[in-house]
Amino acid sequence: DLSVSVRSLQEGFRRSLGTTPTAYLRRLRLEGVRRELSDAAPGTVSVTEVASRWGFVHLGRFASAYSHAFGERPSATLRR
């Protein structure tokens, strides 16, 4: 039985990847949204639809995190 405490797991993750598990997963999800918005044909999806599909339920927090991560609003990515 190889058991590890939550705290040890978090610390190991932080040492190895320089971030927390939660922040790492959030970044992966944001990158997934960005990829999907970038690849979408005009008029085929909405930002809300894509964000929801990736598990973002509070759209205000999502939009803020997205803008912080990529320097543009999700709607700007969708329009390109």
Side-chain angles (χ1 to χ4, degrees), residues 60-75:
R61 280 189 226 136
F62 158 73
S64 177
Y66 189 97
S67 296
H68 181 74
F70 303 115
E72 68 180 9
R73 295 174 48 206
S75 57

Side-chain angles (χ1 to χ4, degrees), residues 17-38:
L17 298 174
T19 189
T20 65
T22 302
Y24 181 81
L25 290 174
R26 184 180 310 112
R27 181 64 187 207
L28 287 179
R29 290 170 43 226
L30 286 169
E31 289 172 357
V33 170
R34 183 171 177 82
R35 217 175 14 261
E36 196 169 331
L37 292 176
S38 295

Side-chain angles (χ1 to χ4, degrees), residues 34-46 50 77-78 80:
R34 183 171 177 82
R35 217 175 14 261
E36 196 169 331
L37 292 176
S38 295
D39 294 346
T44 59
V45 297
S46 70
V50 175
T77 303
L78 183 58
R80 288 197 274 140

